[in-house]
Amino acid sequence: MGCAHGKCCGHRPRSSDSDSREFQEVSQFSVHGKHILTERSIEFVPVPSRNFRLEYSVLTQRGYYPDSPDKENEDSFCIRTQVQGNPNLHFFGVFDGHGLFGAQCSNFVRDRLVDILANDPRLLDDPVNAYSSAFVRTNHELHDSEIDDTMSGTTAITVLVVGDKLLVANVGDSRAVIALKVGDRVLAENLSSDQTPFRRDEYERVKLCGATVLSLDQLVGLEDPDIQTWGDEESGGSDPPRLWVQNGTYPGTAFTRSIGDSTAEGIGVIADPEVCTVQLTPDHLFFVVASDGVFEFLSSQAVVDMVASYPDPRDACAAIAGESYKQWLAHENRTDDITIIIVHVKDLRNAGANAARTASLRMGGGSSNSSFTTASEMYRSMRSEISVFETYQRTISNDRSHAIVVPSPLRSPQS
């Protein structure tokens, strides 16, 4: 869900084929009316400090835009293993661009955020501040770049695996979700909270910064602008509240935090991430990092249920993308861009942890929950357990690969 005057309208230049990290994408309706999506092989990476491994796959697909056939995929992703040459640090991020130069903004942040984070010597000793600083610095660098981000920008949802802990940082309305096994059930737990005017704390913050918050119908006079309640994202998703300058009809962002969007910064759209830390346990099965093209019509629990139904994360990625497209086209005449990273946690043994423990450490106007172990304390204790660092970093490139036909969401997966 992006800006009213950028994400869904207007022609964009076709993406270049020169960047080897870009997926080759094909029409999602090119084989007998079925969705065709790009995919990559399953990747594995060990986490030697805790003697477990991560198994992951990723999928990205341009949306279906009948009025803008040349519109490029504004989503991007970054997977970097062994950050800082450390075999126990692994980064996963999804970036959802918006506006006329959304793809350029998304790609810029994809490249710079992880580099800034990886080069920060405070990362293990003070990870929350290092993460927050990386987001803010990336935002400043985007402003100073040749990319026009006055009305363009990107969301960013990222997960840094540090041993058997997760550090999650988010700006915008993309989402990270983790699966927790409770008895015979697999429950979805959000690792991030969508930053939109539906959230009362975010609504009040941007109002204090001078934003006018109205839905499109309220802006054009079809609904009463004095009614400042819009239900929740499920009930109000078709015409969500958006941010406007006073007495103006721009920028119309449906989110309250992003990287870029320099015009919207004047009314409270900030790049300070909300950060949380999570202690992994053997009951954590996998986590999902995805753009809002997935979560616009699918709940976190629905996504977790689908992943749990497919042993192969490649099949799960394709099934979620296919169901997302189906739901988009049932509600609208287009779809959003879709990007999904699925990471399975394999062979984790952690008998001392009896339950999930999540500490919400909100930055930039949020609150801190002091009842949990702080991120700094956890990472100091973990740092002493890492004995040998690998001497190289490996960035997973988005190599061109064969297309696959999405498994039908209505068909039970083969076991």
Side-chain angles (χ1 to χ4, degrees):
M1 197 182 297
C3 57
H5 303 302
K7 177 122 177 175
C8 309
C9 53
H11 291 266
R12 274 62 165 195
R14 190 181 303 273
S15 61
S16 170
D17 292 331
S18 62
D19 189 345
S20 64
R21 286 182 298 182
E22 293 297 329
F23 267 71
Q24 180 182 17
E25 300 185 295
V26 292
S27 169
Q28 63 270 29
F29 299 104
S30 61
V31 177
H32 306 298
K34 296 182 179 179
H35 300 309
I36 303 297
L37 300 171
T38 56
E39 60 91 27
R40 62 176 300 114
S41 61
I42 299 177
E43 301 282 351
F44 302 89
V45 64
V47 184
S49 69
R50 294 301 187 190
N51 197 30
F52 72 98
R53 62 193 175 97
L54 304 174
E55 174 187 289
Y56 57 91
S57 190
V58 60
L59 178 151
T60 188
Q61 174 61 32
R62 187 182 77 89
Y64 170 60
Y65 301 97
D67 296 329
S68 302
D70 292 334
K71 182 180 180 297
E72 61 185 312
N73 187 352
E74 294 176 321
D75 282 2
S76 66
F77 68 88
C78 176
I79 299 174
R80 179 174 292 186
T81 60
Q82 302 176 12
V83 175
Q84 292 187 340
N86 185 331
N88 301 294
L89 299 183
H90 311 293
F91 177 91
F92 303 87
V94 169
F95 312 96
D96 181 359
H98 50 262
L100 185 61
F101 303 105
Q104 292 93 320
C105 292
S106 174
N107 293 337
F108 181 93
V109 175
R110 173 198 67 194
D111 296 338
R112 287 298 298 142
L113 180 62
V114 68
D115 280 346
I116 293 171
L117 192 65
N119 288 314
D120 193 328
R122 302 173 300 168
L123 182 56
L124 287 178
D125 288 330
D126 195 359
V128 173
N129 283 329
Y131 230 145
S132 184
S133 296
F135 272 71
V136 172
R137 179 177 165 186
T138 302
N139 186 55
H140 289 319
E141 289 190 7
L142 179 57
H143 291 341
D144 293 338
S145 73
E146 296 181 353
I147 300 169
D148 181 359
D149 70 345
T150 54
M151 297 281 285
S152 299
T154 185
T155 68
I157 176 67
T158 67
V159 176
L160 182 68
V161 179
V162 187
D164 61 352
K165 300 172 183 67
L166 304 182
L167 189 66
V168 184
N170 177 56
V171 293
D173 54 3
S174 295
R175 191 179 302 175
V177 181
I178 198 165
L180 178 67
K181 184 174 176 57
V182 180
D184 294 332
R185 299 179 298 165
V186 179
L187 302 181
E189 292 191 344
N190 287 337
L191 298 177
S192 60
S193 176
D194 298 355
Q195 296 151 353
T196 73
F198 283 113
R199 275 177 48 179
R200 198 67 191 178
D201 59 338
E202 288 292 280
Y203 166 84
E204 292 174 353
R205 183 181 61 76
V206 297
K207 289 285 286 186
L208 288 174
C209 293
T212 297
V213 182
L214 299 170
S215 69
L216 284 172
D217 282 351
Q218 289 176 314
L219 185 73
V220 300
L222 297 178
E223 299 287 347
D224 186 352
D226 294 327
I227 298 176
Q228 292 283 283
T229 56
W230 300 272
D232 54 28
E233 292 197 52
E234 284 70 30
S235 62
S238 61
D239 188 18
R242 296 176 180 272
L243 276 58
W244 315 91
V245 298
Q246 293 186 19
N247 303 315
T249 58
Y250 65 93
T253 64
F255 45 79
T256 55
R257 303 193 190 204
S258 71
I259 299 177
D261 295 295
S262 58
T263 297
E265 280 188 358
I267 53 173
V269 176
I270 58 176
D272 299 68
E274 292 183 317
V275 183
C276 78
T277 58
V278 178
Q279 171 68 59
L280 290 175
T281 77
D283 292 326
H284 286 123
L285 305 180
F286 55 82
F287 61 87
V288 178
V289 186
S291 61
D292 75 327
V294 170
F295 294 107
E296 184 73 16
F297 297 109
L298 296 179
S299 68
S300 297
Q301 187 62 55
V303 170
V304 163
D305 289 343
M306 294 183 74
V307 177
S309 298
Y310 291 89
D312 190 324
R314 294 171 298 182
D315 290 339
C317 282
I320 292 167
E323 183 64 15
S324 298
Y325 269 88
K326 176 183 173 183
Q327 293 299 322
W328 271 96
L329 293 175
H331 292 83
E332 302 189 21
N333 66 349
R334 68 171 188 95
T335 76
D336 200 357
D337 304 325
I338 290 172
T339 301
I340 314 159
I341 302 173
I342 297 174
V343 183
H344 284 271
V345 179
K346 297 286 190 178
D347 305 320
L348 176 63
R349 304 286 187 266
N350 190 3
N354 297 319
R357 182 173 60 177
T358 303
S360 180
L361 303 170
R362 289 183 178 172
M363 312 297 291
S367 60
S368 176
N369 188 337
S370 59
S371 64
F372 296 103
T373 304
T374 67
S376 181
E377 290 168 342
M378 287 194 294
Y379 286 90
R380 282 195 184 99
S381 66
M382 199 212 91
R383 186 179 173 91
S384 64
E385 300 172 4
I386 301 174
S387 58
V388 179
F389 284 3
E390 299 281 323
T391 58
Y392 65 93
Q393 293 178 353
R394 180 164 62 92
T395 301
I396 301 299
S397 63
N398 304 353
D399 297 327
R400 292 189 169 99
S401 57
H402 298 292
I404 59 172
V405 179
V406 175
S408 170
L410 303 179
R411 185 175 65 240
S412 298
Q414 296 179 353
S415 56

